[in-house]
Amino acid sequence: MNKPHSSVAPDEIFERLKQNLMSYMHDPDIALVTAAYRFSATYHADQKRASGEPYIVHPLEVANILTLIKVDMASIIAAILHDTVEDTDATLATIKQEFGDDVATLVDSLTKISKIKFRSNQERLAENFRKMVVAMAKDLRVILIKLADRLHNMRTIEALEERKRHRIANETLDIYSPLATRLGIYGIKSELEDLCFRQLKYDLYSEIAQKIALKKTERQGFIDEVGDVLDQELRRYGFTAKVSGRPKHFYSIYKKMVDRGLKFEDIHDLFAFRIIVNSIKDCYEALGVVHAMWKPMPGRFKDYIAMPKANLYQSLHTTVIRPSGKPVEVQIRTREMHEQSEYGVAAHALYKDNVGKASSEKDKSDIRSFDWLRQIMQWQSELKDPEEFLEAVRVDLFEEEIFVFTPHGDVIRLPLGGTAIDFAFSVHSDVGLRCVGAKVNGRLTSFKKAIKSGDIVEIVTSPNQKPNKDWLNYVQTSKARNKIRSFLRGEKRERSLSMGNEIFRNELQSRGIDVEKFLKSKEIASLLKIAKENSLNELLIAFGYGKINAKRLLDRFLSDTPTGEVAVFPVSKSKQTRILVSGLDDVLVNFARCCNPLPGEEIIGFVTRGRGVTVHRAACSRVFEMDVLRRINVAWKDDNSTTKSHPCYIRVSSYDKKGVLAEITNVISAAGANITEANIRSQDLTAVHDFCIAIANMQQLQEIIKKIEMIEAVIKIERRSLVSAKSRRGAKR
């Protein structure tokens, strides 16, 4: 990009603008441009910039920057007028009358974007960024003008105080430079980064600049030498090619130093050479000539012709080693590809003609071909949380890319560091949600491992698979992250609904209220009103999440209800149980089969889906795996009227002696317990006796254990869980 002329009169800048327009537009409407210049100059007449120069210099220079990327006439006019509505008495209606609807719409969008202030508040930053990218997605010319505006502001930033310069430079690196990259306007992108680098790390910038300046003669000699050799060799093979060389930008050198932990002296590929040929066929043939001349560096070849970047950039990139041992980066492309590289989205027909709107469906499809732009609009509708939207745009739009293949040869574009899960979601959301494994180049791989450009990735799916929340720790793409989060939220909502339903039903039953009758009554509307929830499901979900305490809500509801009004819903007390749940004996209760609690021992209850309350032994290992929010107080009834027995598993280890089994079974029978299942096995000199016995209570079990321990041949006796007992039997079979 050309730097602005310092201390140049506005009329001279305007003359340069007219010359620039005539260099790429066929018969530009100079009269209209002149009218816009006079309009803007009149309204900005009394205004000065921080540098002291007339304000009109700024919009004219913005327009001049835009001519370098060959935008349409409406964009040029809007650039000249872009600050008039915000900073002067000019109105949008006047602009519409003088310059038409298209220009007025652009100026209006630019005015709204100018009011966006990126501050430290994350939520405000996210929402403002959302507004800006959505405005860009509606009409890319808006952001093209905004980028040119930001570039000129960065060129003239020295007049501002240091704190403000740093804020603007950081904002530019975070927002505008990546947008310029995605739009494919590398000239603006590179200059913005160098200008920001100068402001934020002036000492490092100056050091690199000085070291490069000291070798200016040597550098130019190197560029001329390599360029001549490439040109001669290509001509020898019959190519009509344009060869040029340039030093890399300061910021890219700095990034390489930081990323690789190198000193300036250790970086050898400070130059890039460009070869422009006539056709795609010539690109690959010229690559062969270059590789025949100098040895290519492994892993440094990139084919962006076969696999264009998201911003439609195409070129062949290779790094070769010259006989001197110094690496040289070479880019090979056609003239059309070079134009795309220089002008980005502005290279498309939609912005090259001096018309403001797409002239055909083909023009519109050109813009729709930007997948990342369509993704922005999709996120805009899907992600209501501004911070999630900001994260999605930053992650997916501002990262370097890799290209991987499906087994059928389709190309999938992923950010650097992308994993097999990112790949799966990029293929299709259902593939990602059902992903159980992945193969990379025919070998099974971990979900955590990053895949590389050129890998062939195959995803294994299962209809029974569900996303794991741990996936969020290593996915890179926003699509994968958002789909996983969405699924987990939905699943959590379902679990909370089920849990809340059980909590609510148990709370109603504990108060003697018939659940079904109550839910069908008008009373439920009053309860929802107190809870400030719109529906019963939302209330149940709130119970499940722990957002609302069911007991406290019902306490408040019943305290507001006339005595006896809810008593018309008495619960049936036909079912008998030996367990009291929160002091009541009319709640559906099940005993946990993993530990089979016995009357008399300490117990804990948990609300379970569709099964009321499940009772566990307090010492059961599974208690620690249960959700604390589902825990409920339970106790044994002080009631000996029932003779119901409970299964209990015990294991007796003994010496393998004759008659031991008979002694053990006699003790169990004498205690009044019944053996329902037995499994005996001997090994070496010992024997293991597994029994399932029907026990009335804990006191009876303790009596049996005490007497079996007294048998001389018994080594030890232990109580077993149902799970361990069954797994042992399964292993035996």
Side-chain angles (χ1 to χ4, degrees), residues 58 62 69 82-83 86 109-119 125 128-136 140-154 157 164-196 200 251 311 372 390 393-394 397-398:
H58 171 64
V62 171
I69 54 175
H82 78 274
D83 281 333
E86 181 183 6
S109 296
L110 289 161
T111 302
K112 290 174 180 175
I113 289 179
S114 295
K115 293 178 181 177
I116 294 174
K117 304 297 181 186
F118 296 100
R119 297 171 184 167
L125 167 65
N128 287 339
F129 188 72
R130 177 202 287 269
K131 292 174 183 176
M132 190 179 77
V133 294
V134 169
M136 174 195 71
L140 282 173
R141 293 175 297 175
V142 173
I143 205 62
L144 292 178
I145 300 170
K146 189 63 184 173
L147 283 171
D149 175 57
R150 177 51 60 106
L151 178 56
H152 185 252
N153 283 333
M154 285 301 303
I157 200 173
K164 192 170 184 179
R165 293 201 310 270
H166 284 194
R167 178 183 64 78
I168 294 172
N170 276 314
E171 177 185 298
T172 302
L173 274 183
D174 286 344
I175 306 296
Y176 291 96
S177 171
L179 281 174
T181 303
R182 277 300 184 181
L183 290 170
I185 312 171
Y186 290 99
I188 287 181
K189 174 248 187 195
S190 298
E191 188 178 346
L192 281 175
E193 289 177 344
D194 278 357
L195 290 168
C196 293
L200 297 172
Y251 185 71
N311 57 22
W372 62 273
L390 177 62
V393 175
R394 275 180 167 169
L397 298 191
F398 300 165

Side-chain angles (χ1 to χ4, degrees), residues 292-549:
M293 291 171 58
W294 300 317
K295 187 174 293 185
M297 287 181 67
R300 296 292 295 273
F301 170 66
K302 295 179 181 177
D303 188 344
Y304 293 120
I305 293 179
M307 294 175 288
K309 291 188 177 183
N311 57 22
L312 307 185
Y313 173 86
Q314 288 185 291
S315 187
L316 298 177
H317 288 199
T318 186
T319 301
V320 293
I321 304 293
R322 296 186 66 232
S324 63
K326 290 185 177 180
V328 173
E329 182 181 314
V330 181
Q331 301 168 0
I332 307 170
R333 61 182 69 145
T334 66
R335 288 180 175 83
E336 291 76 13
M337 294 173 192
H338 180 63
E339 187 172 278
Q340 171 69 42
S341 171
E342 290 294 299
Y343 310 133
V345 67
H348 287 252
L350 181 56
Y351 297 106
K352 285 173 68 178
D353 298 332
N354 59 342
V355 291
K357 298 179 180 177
S359 57
S360 68
E361 284 302 315
K362 180 182 182 301
D363 293 337
K364 293 176 184 176
S365 68
D366 264 345
I367 298 309
R368 285 198 296 268
S369 67
F370 282 76
D371 292 339
W372 62 273
L373 192 55
R374 291 203 307 272
Q375 186 70 71
I376 283 180
M377 297 312 291
Q378 183 179 338
W379 288 329
Q380 156 67 9
S381 61
E382 289 181 356
L383 303 179
K384 301 305 179 186
D385 184 342
E387 292 191 35
E388 279 193 32
F389 179 73
L390 177 62
E391 178 190 5
V393 175
R394 275 180 167 169
V395 169
D396 273 17
L397 298 191
F398 300 165
E399 290 289 336
E400 293 184 46
E401 296 173 321
I402 61 172
F403 299 90
V404 293
F405 298 91
T406 69
H408 301 294
D410 297 324
V411 179
I412 301 294
R413 182 186 291 115
L414 294 174
L416 191 65
T419 63
I421 295 179
D422 293 305
F423 175 90
F425 278 98
S426 295
V427 172
H428 196 281
S429 295
D430 287 342
V431 175
L433 293 172
R434 304 302 175 204
C435 176
V436 292
K439 294 180 180 179
V440 174
N441 302 323
R443 294 185 176 182
L444 288 172
T445 189
S446 166
F447 282 162
K448 299 179 182 179
K449 188 175 180 181
I451 50 184
K452 302 173 185 175
S453 267
D455 283 344
I456 300 173
V457 185
E458 181 182 353
I459 299 298
V460 182
T461 62
S462 167
N464 300 320
Q465 173 69 336
K466 295 180 181 179
N468 188 317
K469 66 179 180 180
D470 292 338
W471 291 5
L472 293 171
N473 296 328
Y474 37 86
V475 294
Q476 298 295 317
T477 60
S478 292
K479 180 177 182 181
R481 182 173 288 106
N482 294 331
K483 291 295 182 183
I484 294 168
R485 283 176 177 169
S486 177
F487 180 88
L488 294 176
R489 278 196 294 261
E491 195 174 53
K492 186 176 180 181
R493 183 180 172 87
E494 288 181 12
R495 286 200 304 268
S496 297
L497 177 61
S498 176
M499 188 185 303
N501 182 48
E502 291 167 2
I503 291 171
F504 187 45
R505 286 173 175 271
N506 280 289
E507 194 62 42
L508 287 173
Q509 289 173 347
S510 71
R511 298 167 187 269
I513 300 172
D514 187 287
V515 176
E516 301 305 327
K517 291 179 182 178
F518 181 73
L519 294 179
K520 294 176 182 177
S521 74
K522 296 179 180 179
E523 299 294 340
I524 200 68
S526 301
L527 187 68
L528 291 174
K529 186 176 180 180
I530 294 173
K532 297 180 181 179
E533 295 290 348
N534 296 322
S535 68
L536 178 59
N537 273 2
E538 293 301 320
L539 178 61
L540 297 178
I541 289 169
F543 289 153
Y545 275 135
K547 177 183 173 184
I548 297 177
N549 185 293

Side-chain angles (χ1 to χ4, degrees), residues 553-569:
L553 178 65
L554 282 170
D555 284 345
R556 180 180 172 187
F557 168 72
L558 293 173
S559 67
D560 292 344
T561 304
T563 304
E565 189 171 329
V566 184
V568 295
F569 311 117

Side-chain angles (χ1 to χ4, degrees), residues 246-259:
R246 60 169 179 80
K248 291 189 174 180
H249 293 277
F250 293 175
Y251 185 71
S252 67
I253 294 171
Y254 162 72
K255 285 287 288 179
K256 188 167 291 187
M257 290 167 61
V258 172
D259 294 343

